[in-house]
Amino acid sequence: MYHVSMDSNWFSISQEKRTAIKYISENFYPAKYMNRWRDFKEISYKLSEIVKLYSSTQITEEIEHFEFFKQYFNEDTLDLPLPESYIKWFDSMLLAFRHGNIDEIASRFHMITEGILATVGLKILNETSMELPEFNFNIKKIIEDEARHINFGFQIIMNPNYAVNRIEELYPYAEDIIKDGMKYLEPIGYSWYDLRKLMLELKEARINKLKKKIMSAN
């Protein structure tokens, strides 16, 4: 995913679509806020050394995703403000990473951040970038990576009952983050009703898979 160039027709698509794509992309690469969460990388690699199942491959892929968005938007900088709901979410997730409780990390990161927020964001980016071949090609690759990361999250959860409860408790924060971005998404045809429906479906899918894990252990 390195040496990416912006599509030559980027500035030919509508301003509303460009702004929406940039806003969602900034959720994946929060350029203005990177120093705020700079500890993530070091802590993640430490976890990969301590926890046998915490894969360094996943961490490397996440860094590659950052690099894609950073390089693609080199000519049209990602500089939109992210909502307070997003900032609070990642502040709390960094605390979880520092504490090192893998079930808490997997619930927050793999089940909610990747399993709901990133899944919704990538779906929108994929749908809105069909006329941007370079961007769309890489988004499809990221979607494949994220699917593996979510499945990896299921593998490292040791207490699925805990994870089910945490997903239910944390889910409203995910709704807040998507709601706070609707001013960018509504102009390009996305409704809160439809996105919330998708989010609830994703939440239930994660919970149902964990419940199967509980049943198979009994």
Side-chain angles (χ1 to χ4, degrees):
M1 286 192 194
Y2 297 104
H3 308 299
V4 174
S5 298
M6 178 171 274
D7 287 282
S8 59
N9 62 326
W10 168 255
F11 290 101
S12 300
I13 66 174
S14 72
Q15 178 68 56
E16 286 179 337
K17 186 178 284 190
R18 289 204 312 274
T19 301
I21 289 173
K22 285 182 67 176
Y23 175 76
I24 302 170
S25 295
E26 190 138 9
N27 278 257
F28 288 91
Y29 179 70
K32 293 173 64 174
Y33 308 88
M34 292 301 287
N35 283 338
R36 188 183 185 102
W37 302 305
R38 63 184 178 275
D39 293 344
F40 264 124
K41 183 178 177 181
E42 182 182 353
I43 295 169
S44 296
Y45 275 117
K46 283 182 179 177
L47 282 170
S48 72
E49 295 170 3
I50 297 168
V51 182
K52 186 177 180 182
L53 284 173
Y54 203 89
S55 171
S56 58
T57 302
Q58 174 183 330
I59 301 162
T60 302
E61 287 176 348
E62 294 291 351
I63 294 169
E64 288 178 349
H65 299 171
F66 276 13
E67 284 299 312
F68 161 66
F69 287 108
K70 179 181 179 181
Q71 291 185 26
Y72 186 87
F73 290 101
N74 186 49
E75 298 175 44
D76 191 8
T77 308
L78 295 176
D79 57 1
L80 295 167
L82 291 170
E84 189 64 23
S85 56
Y86 179 99
I87 293 167
K88 285 182 177 178
W89 176 257
F90 276 88
D91 281 349
S92 64
M93 192 157 64
L94 180 57
L95 286 175
F97 270 70
R98 284 176 177 154
H99 292 154
N101 181 325
I102 295 300
D103 283 342
E104 177 69 11
I105 291 169
S107 299
R108 283 182 174 273
F109 185 65
H110 299 84
M111 299 295 103
I112 300 287
T113 305
E114 293 189 307
I116 298 176
L117 290 169
T119 301
V120 171
L122 289 167
K123 178 180 184 295
I124 295 170
L125 288 179
N126 184 45
E127 291 172 349
T128 56
S129 65
M130 295 300 184
E131 58 199 306
L132 300 167
E134 179 78 11
F135 188 85
N136 189 260
F137 173 78
N138 283 281
I139 290 301
K140 283 180 164 59
K141 288 178 69 177
I142 293 173
I143 288 171
E144 292 175 4
D145 290 346
E146 293 294 298
R148 288 198 310 276
H149 298 176
I150 295 164
N151 286 329
F152 173 70
F154 285 113
Q155 295 174 38
I156 64 173
I157 288 173
M158 301 302 293
N159 185 342
N161 281 300
Y162 172 90
V164 167
N165 290 333
R166 285 304 277 155
I167 291 169
E168 292 285 11
E169 291 167 355
L170 295 168
Y171 171 77
Y173 297 100
E175 281 200 357
D176 289 342
I177 292 169
I178 298 294
K179 261 193 297 192
D180 288 342
M182 288 309 300
K183 64 182 178 182
Y184 299 105
L185 301 178
E186 286 176 343
I188 60 168
Y190 289 92
S191 72
W192 169 238
Y193 174 85
D194 289 335
L195 291 181
R196 183 173 185 267
K197 182 173 180 288
L198 173 60
M199 292 176 73
L200 287 168
E201 288 170 357
L202 290 168
K203 183 192 76 166
E204 289 307 310
R206 310 313 177 207
I207 287 174
N208 288 339
K209 188 167 181 176
L210 286 166
K211 285 181 177 178
K212 288 180 182 178
K213 189 173 182 177
I214 295 167
M215 291 176 64
S216 65
N218 293 334

